[in-house]
Amino acid sequence: MTRTLGFDEETSRRIEAMYRSPDAIRRRSLVLSLLEPRSGERVLDVGCGPGFLASELAAAVGPHGRVDAIDSSPVMLGLAKARCEALPWVAVREGDAARPGFDDAAFDAIASVQVHEYVRDVEGSLREAARVLRPGGRLLLVATDWDSIVWAADDAARMARVLSAFDEHLAHPDLPRRLEPLLRDAGFEPRRCEVLVQMNRVYDPNTFSAGLLELIRRFVPGRRGVDRDEADAWADDLRGRGARGAYFFSLNQYAFLAVKL
Ligand SMILES: C[S@@+](CC[C@H](N)C(=O)[O-])C[C@H]1O[C@@H](n2cnc3c(N)ncnc32)[C@H](O)[C@@H]1O
């Protein structure tokens, strides 16, 4: 089976809930501090998801600026439109990262958070980002390296099997370590890279890892020999560790800032 994670109603709602957590709020504040959107700028949010970042970008650029937000999932677009309804300088519409369909040099800045891992043609998508940015425009990408995951489990072999099956949820589980040469080839100069560690030392439903746990439990059955019972036992193990004060999760996400030459 090779189908990656689909952003259907159930998954999109779960991701929307995860993005309300303090862990996700911290990530958005890192993105905004690196990208530095300014009043009056035109910014593109590629793969806007439920629209939290687009609405925060809109607050930064103000009504004299403009935010275009695109996503390939109709459900995510519905959530983003609702979230940005009161902000007429935000335009939310269907679009593919590899074919965003805007004019050359239309944007001052682009943000794309946890999207390019899902895009098969990353090279083409980065070339398109360079095309629609003005010279000197900024690109901010966030991507996860899934080999960086540390998750305490009673059954380490089962954890390895489940995480291996979850690697199928996206096209590029190791994108951060390959990204800088790809950025250069597409016409960017990488300027900064910051690591954001998602770390949870307790099991709490309002955290990144609790949301991820449920996404994984639903995704892995039928992949790489993992069945539903094994996925449920894996999830119970982690929640049980939480109940007895033995929970630990950590994962590295990387924020890259690059400038179009
Ligand atoms: C993990 S979510 C991140 C959402 C959002 N960027 C955020 O951080 O709040 C990934 C998003 O990328 C979108 N996506 C995946 N592949 C895409 C593509 N080729 N073009 C546009 N959007 C895409 C999905 O529909 C989903 O909304």
Side-chain angles (χ1 to χ4, degrees), residues 4-8 11-12 15-16 19 24 27-28 31 45-54 70-77 93-100 111-121 125 142 169 215:
T4 53
L5 189 66
F7 294 92
D8 58 7
T11 301
S12 299
I15 287 180
E16 183 183 43
Y19 286 177
R27 184 169 75 192
R28 284 197 294 281
V31 167
D45 184 357
V46 175
C48 63
F52 290 95
L53 181 64
I70 61 168
D71 201 284
S72 55
S73 154
V75 182
M76 287 294 201
L77 288 168
R93 70 156 174 80
E94 188 160 358
D96 192 311
R99 291 176 296 281
S112 190
V113 177
Q114 298 292 143
V115 178
H116 283 75
E117 298 99 309
Y118 297 93
V119 178
R120 285 204 189 276
D121 181 12
S125 173
V142 176
H169 88 283
L215 287 179

Side-chain angles (χ1 to χ4, degrees), residues 14-258:
R14 285 188 183 282
I15 287 180
E16 183 183 43
M18 279 171 85
Y19 286 177
R20 287 200 179 91
S21 70
D23 296 330
I25 292 168
R26 201 162 47 89
R27 184 169 75 192
R28 284 197 294 281
S29 86
L30 174 67
V31 167
L32 292 170
S33 75
L34 288 170
L35 190 64
E36 296 185 293
R38 294 160 208 147
S39 175
E41 284 193 322
R42 185 173 181 193
V43 181
L44 173 63
D45 184 357
V46 175
C48 63
F52 290 95
L53 181 64
S55 68
E56 292 178 19
L57 289 167
V61 301
H64 299 297
R66 180 181 162 97
V67 175
D68 288 276
I70 61 168
D71 201 284
S72 55
S73 154
V75 182
M76 287 294 201
L77 288 168
L79 298 174
K81 277 183 186 157
R83 182 147 289 107
C84 298
E85 204 173 12
L87 302 164
W89 62 100
V90 180
V92 179
R93 70 156 174 80
E94 188 160 358
D96 192 311
R99 291 176 296 281
F102 295 99
D103 290 342
D104 293 358
F107 293 96
D108 299 297
I110 298 178
S112 190
V113 177
Q114 298 292 143
V115 178
H116 283 75
E117 298 99 309
Y118 297 93
V119 178
R120 285 204 189 276
D121 181 12
V122 184
E123 291 87 348
S125 173
L126 294 176
R127 277 196 303 274
E128 275 299 284
R131 183 185 66 73
V132 302
L133 267 181
R134 65 166 170 79
R138 295 102 65 208
L139 171 67
L140 191 290
L141 291 184
V142 176
T144 299
D145 194 315
W146 288 93
D147 274 354
S148 69
I149 200 161
V150 176
W151 213 342
D154 286 357
D155 185 335
R158 181 174 59 202
M159 174 63 86
R161 279 194 303 279
V162 168
L163 292 182
S164 163
F166 191 59
D167 270 351
E168 292 186 7
H169 88 283
L170 73 185
H172 308 288
D174 61 351
L175 185 59
R177 71 187 80 165
R178 299 190 286 115
L179 197 53
E180 293 214 359
L182 295 176
L183 285 167
R184 282 193 206 94
D185 289 349
F188 290 97
E189 181 185 296
R191 288 273 171 90
R192 289 183 64 180
C193 177
E194 298 286 330
V195 61
L196 178 74
V197 182
Q198 294 288 1
M199 184 173 70
N200 301 137
R201 290 159 44 238
V202 293
Y203 176 79
D204 173 344
N206 192 28
T207 56
F208 179 85
S209 68
L212 179 64
L213 186 156
E214 202 43 46
L215 287 179
I216 294 177
R217 188 187 68 74
R218 293 177 64 250
F219 181 81
V220 295
R223 296 170 188 270
R224 303 194 189 177
V226 177
D227 63 16
R228 187 161 300 284
D229 287 347
E230 185 169 28
D232 287 346
W234 168 84
D236 289 347
D237 170 17
L238 298 185
R239 292 197 193 96
R241 291 185 67 97
R244 60 178 200 273
Y247 190 81
F248 184 88
F249 169 89
S250 162
L251 178 70
N252 290 349
Q253 303 189 314
Y254 299 87
F256 293 84
L257 178 71

